[in-house]
């Protein structure tokens, strides 16, 4: 996923800069000195390594109720079998 993002910008909303179609821009402020992430900028899309570091914190990896799928047919199968009313609650 990090490689696809680096090469093709497949996630246009990954950073605020990308939302504004300026994916090459980094954060305008420095991170907190006590940050466990060191000097890594979450808005820096200039390297696969940095993207790979931050992508593991994306909602679709962290939130348990997000359904992942492997293909369009897998998605349609999961949607058909999903308890949408139960998920909504």
């Amino acid at each position: 996923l990090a490689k696809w993002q680096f090469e093709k910008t497949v996630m246009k909303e990954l950073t605020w800069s990308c939302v504004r179609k300026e994916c090459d821009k980094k954060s305008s402020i420095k991170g907190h000195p006590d940050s466990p992430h060191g000097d890594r900028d979450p808005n820096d899309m200039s390297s696969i390594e940095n993207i790979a570091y931050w992508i593991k914190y994306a909602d679709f990896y962290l939130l348990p109720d997000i359904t992942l799928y492997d293909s369009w047919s897998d998605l349609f199968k999961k949607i058909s079998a999903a308890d949408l009313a139960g998920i909504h609650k």
Side-chain angles (χ1 to χ4, degrees):
L1 189 53
K3 182 180 177 189
W4 289 349
Q5 179 64 19
F6 181 74
E7 292 175 354
K8 302 187 185 303
T9 315
V10 294
M11 295 175 287
K12 306 280 190 241
E13 288 126 10
L14 189 59
T15 71
W16 284 112
S17 296
C18 284
V19 168
R20 289 183 236 126
K21 298 179 177 32
E22 301 171 326
C23 284
D24 58 331
K25 283 192 171 181
K26 298 178 183 178
S27 294
S28 58
I29 59 173
K30 297 243 184 240
H32 191 277
D34 296 335
S35 170
H37 306 291
D39 61 353
R40 290 184 183 270
D41 180 354
N43 293 306
D44 180 3
M45 299 289 107
S46 67
S47 76
I48 293 173
E49 294 79 20
N50 198 59
I51 295 168
Y53 178 83
W54 285 107
I55 205 136
K56 64 187 171 194
Y57 298 107
D59 291 350
F60 46 85
Y61 288 127
L62 292 178
L63 301 177
D65 295 323
I66 293 178
T67 302
L68 303 177
Y69 56 92
D70 297 318
S71 65
W72 286 110
S73 61
D74 185 36
L75 170 64
F76 297 136
K77 180 178 161 186
K78 288 179 178 179
I79 289 173
S80 297
D83 174 14
L84 299 179
I87 292 170
H88 177 70
K89 293 178 184 178

